[in-house]
Amino acid sequence: MKQKSTLTLSFVLVALSMLYSRQASAQTMGDYRSVVSGNWSDNTIWERYDGTTWQPATLIQIPSATDGRITIQNGTTVTVDAPESANAVFVEAGGFLQLLATDGSMMPLTISDGVGAVAGFPEDLVVNGSILLRGFRQILGLAGATAKINGTMTWIAGFLGINTEVSSTGVLTFTTDDFPKNLEANLNNNGVVNWASSINDHQGDIQFNNATFTNNGTLNEQFQSNNKLFNNGGTNSFVNAGVLNKTTAFTLSNTSINFSNTGTINGNGTLDVTGAPIDVSSGLLGGGNNTGSSINTLNIAGPGLWNPPFGGPTVMMFINGTGAVAGTNYDVVHINDPFDVNLNSTTLQITDLGESDPISTTYTPLTTAGTFSGNIVGPTGASVFGPPVTNSNTVTFQKVILPLNWGEFNALASNNTVQLTWTTLQEQNTSYFSIEYSTDGKTFSSIGTVGAAGNSSTVLHYHFAHSSPLLNGNNYYRLREFDLDGKSFYSSTRAVRFANGNLVKVLVGPNPTHDVLQLSVQEADIIAVLTDISGKGLRTWKLNPGTTQVSLSSLPVGMYQLVIYQKQQRIETQQIFKN
């Protein structure tokens, strides 16, 4: 009976799969598909569905808006260089649609809002392959028509007049042949947009005409000259709800485009929004690339920054290396306006990757050409720094002495006992350490105490043994240091796992992770190799017993594999998700 049920289920799944396949590829009379590369107006490149079979198109048959779905098939390139129209266009993966104007005239490819779209894609123009827009070529969408880029789009110049979405898998590249790009419909990016330009100022501009450009994904500025968002008429706006990476020293300016930032603006050079106030009240601003691997100065020009009632943004600052040189060892945001800037509700967020500057080192992460008023909140993210000091045109803060500076903290198993060892780099008025334990990583309780030195400026070593860990599950440990005045500070958390009494040699977390992966290693001769889903090696780490943190910030979102080796033998593979 069980075998029969299994066979029946398999049959049903196969039948459903075949049915879906037929629906997804179902044809209607008047559909076209490209069979070889060539010009849209050349009937010999097309086949037409007559209701029963595919037939070569006749001399008077080329795709138009009165027909059904038009498919640019894998391995074919279709060129449009004269006015054409279509009801629904689907560019398969491996297919290529290029729109070229050879005589300098505006010759639109007009997309209707009609029937014939591919199953699962309600849009009227779907690009799973590639599309090129060049010269004075224009894509015009009639009322209600939409486009979706799941593959790649290259926009060199011309008019985009159809509401377009770049999906999470899509990539849109702005390049230039010394003509601007004209945006005459809404553009919504959920993937990646790379905005490149030539060496000539403003010939890579984006000209808006009653359009909104919303960035929910990543927008990478890759200029070779100064460029702008240009108001060409109507009501226009640019909304950054994702990440805007300014990667060059050139200026990205704005001409009367409503500009708002609820996402992150990183990078280098100048963002000039003099043409319209910028609302950054709920967003993030920072020099560098928000990972600390690139330290820069981001200049902001334009009125209205930070002023009430909007409140202030979070200013991100990375410190990397030694020297405290603005724009070289730490990020700086500079406001070019000679006006008053209200810092109330502004937060300073610090990440110290260098940790080597001496006590009393002074940093100036925020400057203005005008005058600061109000008080900035922070710094957050690091307790080794004192409160920020607001002067007339600078915000500064210093590295200070804390009651305790943590050193290393490790949890290593030995004969069903977990040995905790930790060091302190300096102590001031410390009283004792409480060792806290948990089996779920959420609810902790004290399992013992160790006395602290009180005052020290040298490295001190401490130890505690937990003799009754859980031998079939996770064991979490953290330290809580108490001062003589009753204040307390927590260490980071360490984990040890046993499975049926056997020690798990490598613990990985958090998973999913956004940026940093923590590897808790219990034995020697461990090598961890991170690969993509196909098995291609991306990172390799030789690990010693203890805890190692590794950065995944430069890798795209997705699924990876972490392969663990010991003494050249593969012992485990874990799937890692980066969000």
Side-chain angles (χ1 to χ4, degrees):
M1 180 61 70
K2 183 177 180 180
Q3 182 180 13
K4 183 177 179 180
S5 298
T6 302
L7 291 174
T8 302
L9 178 60
S10 299
F11 176 79
V12 171
L13 291 175
V14 170
L16 288 174
S17 177
M18 293 174 64
L19 177 61
Y20 175 78
S21 178
R22 291 193 190 102
Q23 289 176 338
S25 60
Q27 307 299 327
T28 59
M29 182 180 295
D31 286 356
Y32 280 82
R33 68 182 183 186
S34 60
V35 290
V36 294
S37 298
N39 195 287
W40 182 290
S41 61
D42 182 358
N43 69 290
T44 64
I45 75 168
W46 301 106
E47 285 184 342
R48 186 175 186 274
Y49 194 70
D50 65 5
T52 304
T53 60
W54 288 100
Q55 299 289 339
T58 68
L59 288 174
I60 61 171
Q61 291 176 333
I62 62 169
S64 70
T66 61
D67 297 305
R69 183 174 76 236
I70 300 161
T71 300
I72 313 298
Q73 294 199 111
N74 175 26
T76 64
T77 298
V78 175
T79 301
V80 178
D81 59 8
E84 305 289 356
S85 60
N87 182 43
V89 178
F90 180 59
V91 183
E92 290 182 348
F96 183 29
L97 175 62
Q98 56 178 353
L99 310 179
L100 308 175
T102 58
D103 62 359
S105 63
M106 294 185 186
M107 298 176 295
L109 172 63
T110 302
I111 306 293
S112 303
D113 180 22
V115 298
V118 177
F121 297 101
E123 295 80 13
D124 304 283
L125 170 62
V126 176
V127 179
N128 285 356
S130 301
I131 186 171
L132 170 69
L133 183 63
R134 182 170 188 167
F136 287 89
R137 188 70 246 167
Q138 179 182 13
I139 301 181
L140 176 63
L142 298 184
T146 59
K148 189 168 189 177
I149 310 301
N150 300 313
T152 63
M153 176 176 177
T154 302
W155 187 3
I156 298 178
F159 293 74
L160 182 63
I162 185 170
N163 291 333
T164 300
E165 175 193 351
V166 180
S167 76
S168 59
T169 62
V171 177
L172 169 58
T173 299
F174 298 144
T175 61
T176 183
D177 57 359
D178 294 340
F179 289 100
K181 283 153 278 291
N182 294 271
L183 184 62
E184 298 190 333
N186 295 333
L187 176 60
N188 188 8
N189 173 45
N190 294 312
V192 176
V193 172
N194 297 311
W195 185 1
S197 74
S198 71
I199 60 174
N200 299 311
D201 279 356
H202 304 303
Q203 291 184 341
D205 290 353
I206 301 177
Q207 299 189 1
F208 288 64
N209 188 350
N210 279 319
T212 296
F213 182 0
T214 302
N215 176 45
N216 294 311
T218 301
L219 172 57
N220 297 312
E221 171 265 298
Q222 300 171 340
F223 293 164
Q224 297 184 67
S225 59
N226 301 318
N227 289 278
K228 67 174 61 175
L229 306 169
F230 185 82
N231 192 329
N232 206 25
T235 302
N236 303 289
S237 60
F238 174 82
V239 178
N240 181 51
V243 178
L244 169 57
N245 289 319
K246 272 206 90 287
T247 63
T248 75
F250 294 105
T251 298
L252 168 57
S253 58
N254 178 37
T255 305
S256 301
I257 303 291
N258 294 322
F259 191 119
S260 65
N261 175 55
T262 59
T264 301
I265 299 176
N266 300 316
N268 194 12
T270 300
L271 175 63
D272 186 348
V273 287
T274 304
I278 176 175
D279 177 10
V280 297
S281 57
S282 58
L284 302 173
L285 291 176
N289 60 8
N290 200 24
T291 65
S293 60
S294 175
I295 303 296
N296 288 300
T297 298
L298 176 65
N299 296 290
I300 304 291
L305 187 68
W306 277 294
N307 287 334
F310 301 114
T314 294
V315 178
M316 300 172 295
M317 172 189 167
F318 278 83
I319 304 173
N320 200 346
T322 306
V325 179
T328 299
N329 302 110
Y330 67 90
D331 296 318
V332 177
V333 175
H334 177 66
I335 305 166
N336 291 347
D337 284 326
F339 306 114
D340 177 71
V341 176
N342 192 321
L343 292 175
N344 286 332
S345 301
T346 299
T347 300
L348 179 62
Q349 177 179 299
I350 298 173
T351 302
D352 188 357
L353 300 176
E355 300 180 351
S356 52
D357 286 328
I359 300 300
S360 299
T361 298
T362 301
Y363 304 90
T364 308
L366 194 59
T367 64
T368 182
T371 301
F372 283 133
S373 65
N375 294 307
I376 193 168
V377 177
T380 65
S383 57
V384 71
F385 300 108
V389 177
T390 301
N391 298 303
S392 61
N393 55 11
T394 61
V395 172
T396 61
F397 65 93
Q398 285 189 333
K399 201 166 189 177
V400 298
I401 297 177
L402 294 177
L404 174 72
N405 278 349
W406 295 103
E408 291 187 354
F409 173 35
N410 290 309
L412 299 176
S414 175
N415 297 325
N416 293 341
T417 297
V418 177
Q419 305 290 337
L420 304 178
T421 59
W422 65 98
T423 62
T424 61
L425 305 181
Q426 62 88 30
E427 298 181 33
Q428 185 177 31
N429 295 324
T430 56
S431 178
Y432 67 94
F433 298 92
S434 174
I435 293 82
E436 296 189 348
Y437 173 69
S438 171
T439 56
D440 61 7
K442 300 177 182 179
T443 303
F444 285 82
S445 59
S446 178
I447 57 173
T449 60
V450 173
N455 293 284
S456 172
S457 58
T458 62
V459 177
L460 298 179
H461 298 264
Y462 294 90
H463 172 262
F464 180 86
H466 184 208
S467 60
S468 57
L470 181 65
L471 297 181
N472 190 25
N474 291 325
N475 299 269
Y476 298 94
Y477 301 90
R478 70 184 184 189
L479 307 173
R480 186 179 183 183
E481 180 270 332
F482 285 86
D483 294 344
L484 292 174
D485 61 5
K487 293 180 181 179
S488 62
F489 299 88
Y490 282 104
S491 71
S492 53
T493 300
R494 297 293 182 254
V496 175
R497 178 176 175 81
F498 294 90
N500 297 320
N502 296 315
L503 178 65
V504 177
K505 298 177 181 179
V506 180
L507 271 183
V508 180
N511 190 13
T513 182
H514 178 66
D515 193 12
V516 175
L517 202 61
Q518 182 170 286
L519 307 177
S520 298
V521 180
Q522 293 293 321
E523 296 185 356
D525 297 319
I526 297 290
I527 293 177
V529 179
L530 186 72
T531 75
D532 61 19
I533 199 64
S534 69
K536 178 184 177 182
L538 303 174
R539 303 279 194 279
T540 300
W541 300 283
K542 186 174 182 181
L543 304 171
N544 295 315
T547 301
T548 300
Q549 290 188 333
V550 297
S551 174
L552 304 183
S553 59
S554 62
L555 296 177
V557 172
M559 184 170 67
Y560 299 87
Q561 294 185 113
L562 188 70
V563 186
I564 308 298
Y565 296 87
Q566 185 178 34
K567 297 180 179 179
Q568 301 182 341
Q569 296 294 318
R570 182 172 180 163
I571 61 174
E572 186 183 2
T573 298
Q574 296 189 34
Q575 286 188 336
I576 305 297
F577 297 90
K578 183 177 186 296
N579 55 24

